[in-house]
Amino acid sequence: MIRKAQQGEHSALTAISFRAKSHWDYPESYMQIWQDELTITPDYLDNHLVYVYVENGRPVAYYSLVELLYDQEFSCVTLQQGIWLDHMFVLPERMGQGIGRELFEHCLKVLTDSGAESLLVLADPNASGFYEKMGCTYIDEYPSTIEGRTTPHLEYRLTSVQPA
């Protein structure tokens, strides 16, 4: 079941973030650099759209969206105005079982219902193939917060279906 995240779930979502990211065997030094980025706070839940995939009453995956109202610079990179997929994480033991696909399709429905034109993604290099399978188009590479590393920038163009 997919539902909006609830206050008090920030710790569980943070644990999912770290477990999923660690699945790719990144060095501990990378995980330390990503500490703030991967930590979900109560304020984050208040200020962003976050949905969780729940099994047996507990979150096993989630995604979050951030809307930039204007171009913004982060870590010497300019992120364009629009709706960005900030996080999408699935617990490692649940990867490869269709949960990511369900979350992504849910995300597209939320965006379509809101009238959005596109979804912007800075993907972990290990997840880039997933997003391309979901229909995202590769745009280019952005510098990562890890020196000497880049992050794929992708976009999913939403098509509006007008009621008859």
Side-chain angles (χ1 to χ4, degrees):
M1 169 180 85
I2 299 173
R3 62 160 170 75
K4 281 190 176 179
Q6 300 170 353
Q7 270 304 334
E9 291 183 321
H10 60 281
S11 295
L13 301 183
T14 297
I16 292 169
S17 300
F18 278 92
R19 288 195 50 214
K21 198 74 160 177
S22 295
H23 172 75
W24 302 111
D25 292 325
Y26 286 118
E28 183 57 34
S29 61
Y30 285 19
M31 300 303 291
Q32 289 174 5
I33 291 168
W34 292 325
Q35 178 79 31
D36 290 341
E37 186 178 326
L38 295 175
T39 299
I40 303 301
T41 65
D43 284 344
Y44 186 91
L45 293 178
D46 283 340
N47 295 311
H48 302 294
L49 195 56
V50 182
Y51 284 92
V52 296
Y53 188 100
V54 178
E55 288 182 339
N56 300 318
R58 71 178 189 94
V60 298
Y62 78 98
Y63 76 87
S64 64
L65 300 171
V66 171
E67 182 174 11
L68 298 182
L69 300 176
Y70 51 87
D71 292 355
Q72 295 183 27
E73 189 167 316
F74 293 99
S75 301
C76 302
V77 172
T78 300
L79 297 179
Q80 71 189 64
Q81 172 186 351
I83 300 174
W84 288 83
L85 182 65
D86 196 29
H87 297 295
M88 181 177 281
F89 290 113
V90 178
L91 285 174
E93 62 270 20
R94 299 298 287 128
M95 289 179 181
Q97 298 175 22
I99 293 173
R101 173 179 292 278
E102 281 187 59
L103 284 174
F104 194 79
E105 289 171 353
H106 184 274
C107 175
L108 296 180
K109 181 172 181 350
V110 167
L111 293 173
T112 299
D113 290 350
S114 74
E117 294 179 10
S118 69
L119 173 65
L120 303 164
V121 180
L122 285 179
D124 183 286
N126 293 297
S128 185
F130 166 79
Y131 292 113
E132 290 183 65
K133 275 194 238 178
M134 294 296 100
C136 292
T137 302
Y138 174 84
I139 305 295
D140 59 12
E141 295 287 321
Y142 271 42
S144 169
T145 51
I146 306 296
E147 188 175 334
R149 181 177 180 269
T150 60
T151 303
H153 173 212
L154 302 107
E155 180 177 25
Y156 188 99
R157 298 290 302 165
L158 297 159
T159 53
S160 301
V161 177
Q162 300 300 321

